[in-house]
Amino acid sequence: MALLGAAAVAAGCGGEPAAVEVSGTTLRVTLDEYRIQPQNVRMKAGTTHLVAVDEGRLTHNLVVESITDDPTKEVVYGRTDTAHPGETVRERDPFKLKPGRYRLACTISNHENLGQYGTLTVVK
């Protein structure tokens, strides 16, 4: 029984998944129905390149945007084109991110509402 409790604590039961550290300037994710993997990412501030691989059966994209409660004040920092199943896409132009928290999302149809989003934490 004690082992089960320790496993639940180690797994981060009920919380946000542990952040995956990205070294370098390229944020590489996989997309499927309806997830972005890794879902919680941490990388250094500066120039950022996006690469997304669609491993699902539907089309997807990846957008890096501000986190805000007011959708009219949302800022999109970078985005990929639409990826078809099995396709890899990249953003057209690298962009710079300052330290802070950003939202990763698929903006096709209602994919974000179905859980296809994540968090990008940018540090100095």
Side-chain angles (χ1 to χ4, degrees):
M1 206 55 151
L3 287 176
L4 283 176
V9 169
C13 187
E16 192 171 285
V20 172
E21 294 284 337
V22 173
S23 61
T25 62
T26 301
L27 172 56
R28 182 179 305 273
V29 301
T30 58
L31 308 168
D32 65 14
E33 290 76 42
Y34 293 97
R35 295 178 298 187
I36 295 175
Q37 294 294 330
Q39 185 179 14
N40 190 5
V41 183
R42 192 175 157 97
M43 67 188 301
K44 292 193 179 211
T47 301
T48 304
H49 303 270
L50 298 179
V51 176
V53 179
D54 186 344
E55 293 184 352
R57 295 183 307 235
L58 302 173
T59 58
H60 299 287
N61 71 355
L62 179 66
V63 174
V64 177
E65 59 192 11
S66 60
I67 296 176
T68 178
D69 292 332
D70 183 351
T72 64
K73 294 185 180 179
E74 198 168 83
V75 176
V76 173
Y77 295 95
R79 75 170 51 241
T80 66
D81 288 333
T82 299
H84 296 279
E87 188 176 29
T88 298
V89 292
R90 292 166 175 74
E91 94 292 335
R92 292 181 183 174
D93 297 310
F95 53 96
K96 292 193 181 229
L97 290 176
K98 295 178 181 179
R101 285 175 47 97
Y102 301 87
R103 187 164 181 86
L104 302 173
C106 175
T107 58
I108 294 176
S109 190
N110 64 340
H111 293 191
E112 186 173 3
N113 293 338
L114 293 171
Q116 195 169 10
Y117 60 86
T119 303
L120 171 60
T121 303
V122 177
V123 296
K124 288 184 181 186

